Amino acid sequence: MARILITGGAGFIGSHLADRLLSDGHSVIALDNLFTSKARNIGHLAGHERFKFIRHDVTEYIYIEDKPDAILHLASLPSPVDYLREPIKTLKVGALGTHKALGLARAHGAKFLLASTSEVYGDPQVHPQPESYWGNVNPIGPRGVYDESKRFAEAMTMAYHRYHGIDTRIVRIFNTYGPRMRPDDGRVVTNFIAQGLRGEPMTVYDDGMRTRSFCYVSDLVDGIVRLLESSEVDPVNLGNPREMTVLEFAKTVQRLTGGTSEIKFVSPKDERTKDDPYKRQPDISRARRILGWEPKVSLEDGLRHTIDYFRELFATEGR
Ligand code: NAD
Ligand code: UDP
């Protein structure tokens, strides 16, 4: 049994990781400033004897009484609408926050796992994307604040590994979805589900021909736990290789939410789609080989669970 600290532990992925680690018998400390999430994500864990929540900004000095055995660093502003609105906070959490979290790992001799992203590949010129691809990021574009902060975080993680001998892991997460996403996070999954459930038009940007590959959160969490338990220091992609256009995705959500929404092609006037990757699909050969990992949940099943969650949430909140 280990004591595991999760920065961003009240977030979408962080709260699912907390559930899984607790059910595996570990103790979990969730550290989060609730900047992009709601405490309701971890409300069900209040009073759990092996769970603790600390409200704290990871970019400030972190003091922890209980020595952690591992630190999973997830704190970030990962949704495009958040990082376009808060570019400096995004850079700070990726840079200063990662430095503080690594410093904490060093002080306690803890294992460290960085939640990185497929955005390190930018608008990729190699398809599908293997870990060996160095990427195509525009450092001064609107997405650069997120992409470069994660690229810096990877460099910092490797520097702590090489220079301080910290036992580190880097997971490059591709688009992941599931219950507890923030309904107004502006991502394609939440936008389409909310629009579908409200019978509003589904806002497909431009011609809808960009592609993404969507992974259900329980599959991702299983991969992260396997990576943590492995000895792999080099980055590992985790995502679902089933690729589709945004338009195909809209039609799937349209069907599963009742089919009353129409599809509307829109071209946002702001910078939302600037440098928006045209194609994205993870090459997961490495995760298959090293972790014996493979996503199991089909898009339709995953979307049904997620839609049920949002239907209930909207009913309770009257939206
Ligand atoms: P999320 O927004 O639900 O979770 C991020 C959490 O970090 C939030 O709870 C937020 O309040 C917290 N946070 C932000 N700034 C903080 C700060 N300064 N101090 C403390 N806490 C802070 O997002 P998520 O989708 O769960 O993402 C979790 C991680 O996975 C992120 O690092 C993200 O970059 C990575 N990731 C996610 C996806 C995805 O599709 N969901 C894809 C690639 C990478
Ligand atoms: N998108 C869309 N309509 C929306 C929201 C997003 O067509 O209402 C597109 C967006 O331009 C991108 C893809 O869906 O090509 C995925 O966007 P998301 O914000 O979910 O995350 P990204 O993968 O770009 O980080």
Side-chain angles (χ1 to χ4, degrees), residues 161-289:
H161 172 70
R162 293 196 180 102
Y163 190 74
H164 291 308
I166 305 294
D167 189 13
T168 55
R169 308 282 180 275
I170 297 175
V171 52
R172 290 186 181 152
I173 302 171
F174 283 65
N175 295 63
T176 297
Y177 69 99
R180 303 188 196 149
M181 292 180 87
R182 216 176 73 225
D184 58 353
D185 72 3
R187 292 190 246 196
V188 72
V189 176
T190 38
N191 274 8
F192 289 176
I193 292 180
Q195 290 160 347
L197 288 175
R198 293 172 182 144
E200 293 168 1
M202 286 183 168
T203 53
V204 171
Y205 297 159
D206 302 326
D207 62 1
M209 288 297 115
R210 293 190 184 92
T211 72
R212 292 297 187 267
S213 313
F214 300 97
C215 183
Y216 190 63
V217 65
S218 59
D219 282 334
L220 175 79
V221 162
D222 186 52
I224 293 178
V225 171
R226 284 172 192 244
L227 178 61
L228 190 66
E229 288 168 354
S230 78
S231 54
E232 185 59 35
V233 169
D234 287 338
V236 177
N237 286 341
L238 291 180
N240 192 315
R242 180 175 166 194
E243 182 187 11
M244 63 182 61
T245 63
V246 170
L247 180 58
E248 263 177 273
F249 182 67
K251 288 180 178 164
T252 310
V253 177
Q254 184 189 41
R255 177 167 52 82
L256 296 175
T257 49
T260 53
S261 286
E262 62 183 70
I263 288 183
K264 187 174 172 190
F265 294 93
V266 295
S267 292
K269 297 273 174 287
D270 57 17
E271 293 198 296
R272 233 174 305 175
T273 51
K274 176 144 177 18
D275 302 332
D276 190 353
Y278 198 71
K279 280 161 95 66
R280 181 181 290 159
Q281 183 191 35
D283 177 338
I284 59 164
S285 325
R286 175 173 246 193
R288 281 194 180 109
R289 194 178 68 249

Side-chain angles (χ1 to χ4, degrees), residues 6-17 31-38 41 53-60 73-79 82 89-90 92-94 97 114-119 146 149-150 171-178 180-182 185 187 189 213-215 217 220 224 238 280:
I6 309 175
T7 76
F12 157 52
I13 297 173
S15 64
H16 285 282
L17 254 174
L31 182 146
D32 202 303
N33 65 354
L34 302 180
F35 192 69
T36 61
S37 58
K38 293 266 194 285
N41 286 349
F53 174 64
I54 301 175
R55 188 164 184 171
H56 183 75
D57 182 335
V58 74
T59 65
E60 305 286 341
H73 179 45
L74 275 71
S76 184
L77 306 188
S79 117
D82 289 332
K89 278 196 164 57
T90 304
K92 280 185 165 174
V93 68
L114 171 71
S116 185
T117 166
S118 52
E119 284 283 329
Y146 179 65
S149 79
K150 288 287 186 177
V171 52
R172 290 186 181 152
I173 302 171
F174 283 65
N175 295 63
T176 297
Y177 69 99
R180 303 188 196 149
M181 292 180 87
R182 216 176 73 225
D185 72 3
R187 292 190 246 196
V189 176
S213 313
F214 300 97
C215 183
V217 65
L220 175 79
I224 293 178
L238 291 180
R280 181 181 290 159

